[in-house]
Amino acid sequence: MPATPLPAATLRLQAGAVVTGDAAGTIWRPGVVDLAGDRIVHVGPAAGAPEHRGRARSLPGLLMPGLVNTHGHTPMTLLRGVGEGLPLDRWLRHAIWPREAHLTPDDVFWGMTLGCGEMLRCGVTASCETYFHDSAVVDAAVAAGMRCLVTPGILDVPDAGPGRGWRAMLDAAAALHAEADGRAGLIRVGLGPHAAYTLPLPALAAAGELARQLGTVLTIHLAETRAEDRALQEEHGVTVPALLDRLGVLDARVVAAHAVWLTDADIELLAERGVAVAHCPQSNAKLGSGIARLADLLRAGVTVGLGTDGPASNNDLDLWEELRLAPLLARARDADASAVGAVQALALATRGGAEALGLDAGVLAPGMLADVVHVRTDDARFVPVLDDADLVAHLVWSSASHLVSDVWVGGRQVVRDGVCTTVDTAEAARQVQRRAARLAAAAGRSAGAARHPA
Ligand SMILES: [Zn+2]
């Protein structure tokens, strides 16, 4: 909440229902959300709303907070469909990295642009991005009007792409932080060391130290597959979360992506050290990585958001699928219909994600960022509504992204009547199609073999 009084509203959104997404589960039917600049200044019932002299929009459906994608590599729209059917390790080494070695900043710009259009269209108003050519990621997000936490990827793998040593990558990330953090009111810059198994220990420690110095978020792939950390665990005698803690990495504000293969002690450690988890159920399922212990994480008090992961391992950026899959898999895994409820699931996609990334978003409340989604409810999927709980149940269990009608990011409308108005989607698709063909050719015969694994 800002210390100064909130300004007068310049735009009032009046809707059939306002699902605030707050911890109390407040819903106003009908309700209003007032905006001024990039912030929300008032939320409440339509009856008795404060007098308003600015513009007003009357919307038939429901308003809810924008969805937050806590883990993505969105420019990988350029690699959608590549390495189909390969397990993670071979998928990276034989299909993905050989193509990424040939990426240019322009490729990344267009891949990110296409992905931003896809996310905004689905009501995803913020994402956490880890990739290369990060200035191009920033430029594309700003042009699309998308809120982004950009965490430059730090890697130490031969043929890992246009990268250099991890020290140079950390220096470049610090430079990007100085240059782009706060740009257009949309961009935050953090750090994205890839994983414990792809970086030497001094690199992990240095990334943690730099994140602390900059006061920014560090995101890292953690315990994604069962086998990835075996060598580290054998060498150091502790699990990777404990190892990261020993290195001081968990003293930074950390978002751990995936976090599938955790022990009870790991979960306790994450809760204790305030590590947030970016839960990516669809990517984990598609790559056969496993099912994360979502209910256990939530019971332990870990902040959890949802992530699509890259569009090469999902294969889309539609977070509504994660919104439904997360509670479905949690219930299936634990054989418990009460494992994760609809209210809790919706919170993962909104408030939990915003908390994980440190954004003043994910809740429709005065002082929060004006990231707002209007969902059509004139559809069989929203019938019947007998009480407030039905609205949330329908959002989670029967709704879908095609019902997203209008989207505002920081008070700017970026989707109108189901069309993203800030991205030329047809041009972005043409660019990505052409550039993907060039990358496939450049990756050569080995990549061609990987595309059709035996
Ligand atoms: Zn990832």
Side-chain angles (χ1 to χ4, degrees), residues 28-51:
W28 302 110
R29 286 199 295 159
V32 298
V33 177
D34 290 347
L35 315 181
D38 69 348
R39 297 276 165 170
I40 295 168
V41 292
H42 171 79
V43 178
E51 193 186 343

Side-chain angles (χ1 to χ4, degrees), residues 14 17 25 37-38 45 48 87 108 134 139 145 168-169 200 204 221 237 240 263 299 313 341 345 403 406 444-445:
Q14 173 156 350
D38 69 348
V108 169
D134 305 285
D139 290 345
M169 290 183 174
L204 296 166
H221 296 86
V240 167
T263 65
R299 257 194 298 274
S313 54
L403 295 176
D406 304 275
R445 289 179 57 180

Side-chain angles (χ1 to χ4, degrees), residues 71-73 194 221 224 257-258 309-310:
H71 183 67
H73 316 283
H194 177 262
H221 296 86
E224 181 173 358
H258 303 294
D309 206 357

Side-chain angles (χ1 to χ4, degrees), residues 253-316:
R253 177 188 279 184
V254 175
V255 177
H258 303 294
V260 177
W261 296 96
L262 299 179
T263 65
D264 290 346
D266 290 336
I267 291 177
E268 246 172 70
L269 177 64
L270 298 189
E272 230 176 75
R273 309 295 274 113
V275 174
V277 165
H279 176 46
C280 306
Q282 186 155 323
S283 168
N284 296 152
K286 183 163 188 291
L287 294 181
S289 301
I291 301 174
R293 299 171 59 185
L294 177 58
D296 292 337
L297 286 163
L298 293 172
R299 257 194 298 274
V302 175
T303 299
V304 180
L306 298 179
T308 56
D309 206 357
S313 54
N314 185 301
N315 283 1
D316 61 42

Side-chain angles (χ1 to χ4, degrees), residues 12-32:
R12 166 164 291 175
L13 304 175
Q14 173 156 350
V18 174
V19 177
T20 65
D22 67 9
T26 308
I27 294 175
W28 302 110
R29 286 199 295 159
V32 298

